[in-house]
C-alpha cells in the first residue's frame, strides 16, 4: 500500500507549474557559456583521444565521405558517427582549428547543464537549480570533458536528457499524453546516444528506470509501469529510425569487420576485459568520483549520510538508483576510465544542488562541512597552480625522458599563471564573504565555483596542453614547410594530432627513404638501427621530440 506522503509528492510533481524564467537566468546561462568558451582554441589538441577524433573528422571533411570514419586512412570503429559529423561540420563553417573541433562538446556540455537546471527548478526551486547547475558545470570532470574534442560531452547530454525524461514519464499518469510524450523524447535521446557512443546510451537510462520500478513501490503496480516503459511502439520506432540506418549501412559496407571492430572490440571486449591497459580495482570509482566532483566532493559525504532518507523519496530514490547503477556497473567492467563515472553525475549534481539550497533546521549543511566546502572553493585555484608549478620544478626527476623534456620546458607565462590563481582566489573569497546578506548560500558558492572555472579554462588547461602538445603542433607545422611536401609518418609514436596539424595523413610506421618522421629523440638511434636505415637528417627538435628526414640512397648505393 502506498504511503500518503508518496502519493502527495507524486501528485504535486505532476501538477506543479514552474514560475516564468526571470531575465537573470538568461544572464546566468550566457555567462556560463562565456566561461565554457573562454580560450577554447588556445590549447593544442591532446593526444591520444582529441588528436584521434580531430584527425578522423579532418579526414572525413577532406575526403568527402560522411558515412564512415578513418584514422590515417584506416577504418576507425571506436565510436559511431554523430560526433564526427558535428566536428567536421564545425570545421567546414569555422575552419580547421581547435576551437571548431571542441565547439560541439562545449555546446553539448552547456545543454547538459541547462537541462539539469530546468529539471530541478520546478521541483525544488531556483536555489536548488542554481546549485545543481554549479556543481555540474564547475566540477573538475565536466570542466575538462566538456571542452574536449571527444564524444563524451555529447553522450552525457543524451544520457541526461533521457534519464530526466524517463522520470517525467514515470511521474505522469500512466497512459497520459504527458507520459507518452516524455517516453518518445527519451527514445529520441537514446537514438542519438546510440549514434554517439553505442549501447551504453540505452543501458544507463534503461537501468535507472528499471531499478526504480523494481525497488520502489507506489500507487501504480509494477507491471503497469513496466508495460508503460516497454510497450510504446512509436517510441521504439523513433529510436530505431534515428540510429538504425547508419548501423545498417556499416553492416552492408563492411560486414564482419564492423561487427568485430565496433561491437566486439570496443563494447563487449571493453567490458569483459582490460583494453589498452585501462584496468583498476573494484574500488576504482569510489576514489575517482570525488576527484571528478572537485571542488564539491565534501557534499558527497552529506549525501551518504542522508542516503537512506533520500531513498524513501520517489525522485531522490530514482536519482540514487541511477548514480548507483553507474558506479556498480562500471566497477564490474574490465576496462576502467575516469570519465565513465560522469554517466552518473547528473543525478548526483541534482541531489547535491538540493543540499546546497536546504535551509530548514536539520536539512541545512552542517557548519563544519559548509566551511570545508567554502575553503575548497577558495583554495582550489591556488592549490592547482601550486601543484602545477611544483611538478614543473621537479620535472628533472621524472623517469620518462619525453615527459621530463616536455614538462621541463621554460614556462613563457609564469606571471599570468600565478596572477590568475590569485585573482580567482580573491574573487572566490569576495563571493564567500563580501556578498553575505545579499546572495543566498547557493548563489555565493556558485559564484565562487565560477571563478575557479574561469581560471581552469583561462590558465591551467592551456598551460598543460602547451607543455604536452605544443611541440607536436610546432613540428607538424615545420614539416609543412619542407619543400616538395614529402610524406610524413609517426615513428614509434601514437600522436594523431600530428596528422591533424600537418593537414595530411601520417601513418604509424618506420619511414621510407625521402619521408619525414616524428620520433622521440631518446629512441631515434635505436629505431634507426632496428630499421637498418642510415642516420636520418634532423630537421627540427622540440622538447624531446624530433622531426627527421630519411636520406634518399645515392645513385651508387642504389645500383649496388
Amino acid at each position: 500500500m502506498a504511503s500518503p506522503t508518496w502519493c502527495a509528492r507524486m501528485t504535486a510533481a505532476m501538477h506543479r507549474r514552474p514560475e516564468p524564467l526571470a531575465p537573470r537566468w538568461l544572464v546566468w546561462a550566457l555567462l556560463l557559456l562565456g566561461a565554457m568558451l573562454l580560450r577554447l582554441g588556445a590549447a593544442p589538441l591532446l593526444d591520444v583521444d582529441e588528436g584521434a577524433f580531430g584527425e578522423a573528422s579532418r579526414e572525413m571533411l577532406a575526403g568527402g565521405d560522411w558515412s564512415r570514419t578513418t584514422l590515417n586512412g584506416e577504418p576507425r570503429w571506436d565510436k559511431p558517427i554523430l560526433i564526427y559529423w558535428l566536428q567536421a561540420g564545425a570545421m567546414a563553417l569555422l575552419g580547421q582549428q581547435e576551437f571548431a573541433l571542441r565547439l560541439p562538446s562545449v555546446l553539448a556540455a552547456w545543454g547538459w547543464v541547462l537541462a539539469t537546471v530546468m529539471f530541478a527548478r520546478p521541483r525544488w526551486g531556483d536555489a536548488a537549480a542554481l546549485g545543481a547547475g554549479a556543481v555540474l558545470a564547475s566540477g573538475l570532470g565536466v570542466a575538462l570533458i566538456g571542452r574536449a574534442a571527444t564524444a563524451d560531452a555529447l553522450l552525457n547530454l543524451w544520457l541526461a536528457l533521457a534519464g530526466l525524461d524517463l522520470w517525467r514519464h514515470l511521474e505522469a499518469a500512466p497512459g497520459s499524453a504527458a507520459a507518452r510524450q516524455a517516453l518518445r523524447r527519451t527514445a529520441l535521446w537514446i537514438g542519438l546516444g546510440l549514434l554517439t557512443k553505442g549501447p551504453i546510451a540505452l543501458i544507463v537510462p534503461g537501468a535507472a528506470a528499471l531499478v526504480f520500478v523494481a525497488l520502489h513501490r507506489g500507487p501504480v503496480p509494477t507491471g503497469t509501469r513496466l508495460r508503460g516503459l516497454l510497450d510504446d511502439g512509436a517510441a521504439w520506432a523513433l529510436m530505431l529510425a534515428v540510429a538504425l540506418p547508419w548501423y545498417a549501412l556499416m553492416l552492408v559496407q563492411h560486414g564482419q569487420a564492423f561487427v568485430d571492430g565496433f561491437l566486439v572490440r570496443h563494447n563487449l571486449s571493453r567490458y569483459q576485459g582490460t583494453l589498452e591497459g585501462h584496468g583498476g580495482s573494484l574500488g576504482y570509482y569510489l576514489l575517482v568520483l570525488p576527484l571528478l566532483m572537485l571542488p564539491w566532493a565534501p557534499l558527497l559525504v552529506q549525501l551518504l549520510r542522508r542516503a537512506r532518507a533520500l531513498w524513501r523519496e520517489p525522485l531522490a530514490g530514482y536519482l540514487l538508483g541511477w548514480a548507483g547503477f553507474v558506479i556498480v556497473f562500471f566497477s564490474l567492467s574490465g576496462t576502467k576510465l575516469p570519465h565513465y563515472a560522469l554517466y552518473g553525475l547528473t543525478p548526483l549534481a541534482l541531489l547535491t544542488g538540493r543540499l546546497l539550497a536546504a535551509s530548514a533546521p536539520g536539512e541545512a549543511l552542517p557548519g563544519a562541512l559548509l566551511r570545508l566546502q567554502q575553503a575548497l572553493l577558495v583554495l582550489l585555484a591556488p592549490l592547482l597552480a601550486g601543484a602545477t608549478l611544483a611538478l614543473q620544478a621537479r620535472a628533472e626527476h621524472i623517469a620518462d625522458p619525453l615527459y621530463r623534456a616536455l614538462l621541463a620546458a621554460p614556462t613563457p607565462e609564469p606571471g599570468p599563471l600565478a596572477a590568475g590563481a590569485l585573482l580567482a582566489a580573491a574573487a572566490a573569497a569576495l563571493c564567500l564573504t563580501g556578498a553575505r546578506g545579499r546572495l543566498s548560500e547557493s548563489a555565493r558558492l556558485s559564484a565562487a565555483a565560477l571563478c575557479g572555472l574561469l581560471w581552469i579554462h583561462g590558465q591551467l588547461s592551456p598551460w598543460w596542453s602547451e607543455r604536452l602538445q605544443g611541440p607536436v603542433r610546432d613540428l607538424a607545422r615545420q614539416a609543412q614547410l619542407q619543400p616538395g611536401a614529402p610524406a610524413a609518418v609517426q615513428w614509434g609514436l601514437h600522436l594523431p594530432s600530428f596528422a591533424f596539424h600537418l593537414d595530411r595523413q601520417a601513418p604509424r610506421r618506420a619511414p621510407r627513404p625521402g619521408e619525414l618522421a616524428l620520433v622521440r629523440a631518446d629512441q631515434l638511434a635505436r629505431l634507426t638501427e632496428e630499421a637498418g636505415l642510415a642516420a636520418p637528417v634532423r630537421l627540427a627538435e622540440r622538447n624531446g621530440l624530433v622531426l627527421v628526414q630519411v636520406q634518399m640512397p645515392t645513385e651508387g648505393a642504389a645500383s649496388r
Side-chain angles (χ1 to χ4, degrees):
M1 192 72 179
S3 70
T5 303
W6 197 97
C7 296
R9 285 182 176 140
M10 290 294 282
T11 303
M14 284 189 289
H15 296 289
R16 186 182 298 126
R17 293 183 179 179
E19 297 178 3
L21 281 174
R24 65 177 180 273
W25 279 105
L26 176 59
V27 173
W28 179 86
L30 293 176
L31 285 174
L32 177 62
L33 179 60
M36 289 178 160
L37 290 171
L38 179 66
R39 300 194 69 193
L40 183 61
L45 295 179
L46 286 170
D47 284 315
V48 175
D49 289 341
E50 277 199 308
F53 276 91
E55 172 58 13
S57 297
R58 187 202 67 79
E59 290 181 24
M60 174 183 286
L61 183 61
D65 184 354
W66 291 65
S67 69
R68 65 190 183 98
T69 52
T70 61
L71 182 59
N72 290 313
E74 298 295 325
R76 174 173 165 81
W77 303 126
D78 293 49
K79 303 294 180 293
I81 199 72
L82 183 56
I83 187 61
Y84 302 102
W85 283 343
L86 296 177
Q87 289 181 344
M91 285 195 293
L93 292 173
L94 302 173
Q96 187 178 315
Q97 54 173 310
E98 287 89 343
F99 181 93
L101 273 176
R102 292 176 176 137
L103 183 60
S105 290
V106 168
L107 295 178
W110 187 54
W112 178 13
V113 174
L114 295 184
T116 303
V117 168
M118 296 300 291
F119 181 84
R121 187 169 173 266
R123 290 163 177 82
W124 298 326
D126 284 0
L130 180 61
V135 169
L136 193 59
S138 61
L140 197 57
V142 179
L144 297 178
I145 209 71
R147 287 163 56 94
T150 66
D152 294 289
L154 186 62
L155 173 66
N156 275 288
L157 170 63
W158 307 135
L159 290 177
L161 290 170
L164 299 178
D165 266 334
L166 270 176
W167 176 255
R168 293 184 178 102
H169 166 80
L170 289 169
E171 73 178 0
S176 66
R180 288 194 302 272
Q181 291 167 6
L183 190 61
R184 290 168 188 176
R185 288 196 305 270
T186 300
L188 172 62
W189 311 136
I190 291 175
L192 291 169
L194 291 171
L195 273 183
T196 300
K197 205 163 184 179
I200 196 64
L202 175 61
I203 291 171
V204 169
L210 291 177
V211 166
F212 176 79
V213 167
L215 300 180
H216 262 268
R217 294 184 178 181
V220 181
T222 300
T224 302
R225 283 182 180 164
L226 282 174
R227 284 193 297 274
L229 284 170
L230 300 175
D231 70 356
D232 190 324
W236 288 104
L238 177 60
M239 182 185 74
L240 294 175
V242 171
L244 191 59
W246 179 79
Y247 282 91
L249 178 63
M250 291 300 97
L251 283 172
V252 169
Q253 290 185 344
H254 305 286
Q256 191 63 36
F258 173 71
V259 174
D260 292 341
F262 173 73
L263 184 62
V264 176
R265 172 173 169 75
H266 287 287
N267 285 275
L268 296 178
S269 297
R270 187 176 292 272
Y271 192 81
Q272 294 172 350
T274 300
L275 197 64
E276 299 167 347
H278 298 302
S281 67
L282 280 174
Y284 178 89
Y285 289 106
L286 298 180
L287 298 175
V288 166
L289 185 60
L291 296 177
L292 294 177
M293 283 195 68
L294 282 174
W296 302 101
L299 298 180
L300 288 174
V301 176
Q302 193 68 2
L303 272 186
L304 286 174
R305 290 180 58 188
R306 299 185 182 182
R308 181 173 296 181
L310 289 171
W311 179 254
R312 290 193 291 266
E313 300 180 26
L315 175 52
Y318 172 78
L319 296 173
L320 284 175
W322 176 354
F325 169 79
V326 168
I327 293 171
V328 172
F329 181 78
F330 286 104
S331 293
L332 297 175
S333 172
T335 301
K336 292 180 173 66
L337 287 166
H339 62 263
Y340 292 167
L342 296 178
Y343 304 160
L345 197 59
T346 302
L348 292 177
L350 285 163
L351 292 170
T352 50
R354 196 175 79 160
L355 284 179
L356 286 173
S359 57
E363 294 184 2
L365 292 176
L369 187 64
L370 180 59
R371 287 189 290 273
L372 175 60
Q373 182 63 72
Q374 292 171 339
L376 266 180
L377 289 168
V378 172
L379 296 175
L380 181 65
L383 285 174
L384 289 175
T388 298
L389 296 175
L391 179 60
Q392 189 186 24
R394 294 185 57 80
E396 61 185 28
H397 301 291
I398 295 175
D400 188 287
L402 175 60
Y403 286 98
R404 183 168 64 243
L406 290 171
L407 292 174
T411 304
E413 64 282 76
L417 187 69
L422 292 175
L423 180 62
L430 178 65
C431 291
L432 293 170
T433 58
R436 286 190 182 277
R438 294 192 298 273
L439 295 174
S440 68
E441 192 76 58
S442 178
R444 289 189 293 106
L445 295 179
S446 300
L450 180 61
C451 294
L453 186 66
L454 289 171
W455 181 79
I456 289 172
H457 291 340
Q459 295 292 336
L460 184 64
S461 293
W463 188 93
W464 269 107
S465 298
E466 190 63 37
R467 296 303 94 211
L468 298 177
Q469 296 292 145
V472 180
R473 177 203 57 210
D474 294 344
L475 291 174
R477 291 174 178 172
Q478 188 71 28
Q480 284 183 312
L481 300 176
Q482 299 307 307
V489 300
Q490 302 172 65
W491 194 8
L493 290 171
H494 185 28
L495 299 172
S497 68
F498 178 67
F500 177 83
H501 294 298
L502 185 64
D503 198 21
R504 59 181 185 269
Q505 295 176 15
R508 298 170 63 194
R509 58 172 174 79
R512 303 183 181 113
E515 290 183 335
L516 306 174
L518 180 70
V519 61
R520 287 177 57 151
D522 63 302
Q523 295 182 359
L524 177 59
R526 176 181 62 81
L527 291 173
T528 300
E529 182 179 357
E530 290 176 354
L533 297 171
V537 177
R538 289 175 175 250
L539 301 176
E541 187 168 353
R542 297 287 188 279
N543 309 121
L545 292 172
V546 60
L547 180 69
V548 301
Q549 185 169 27
V550 177
Q551 301 179 59
M552 296 289 290
T554 63
E555 186 174 338
S559 65
R560 289 197 296 272

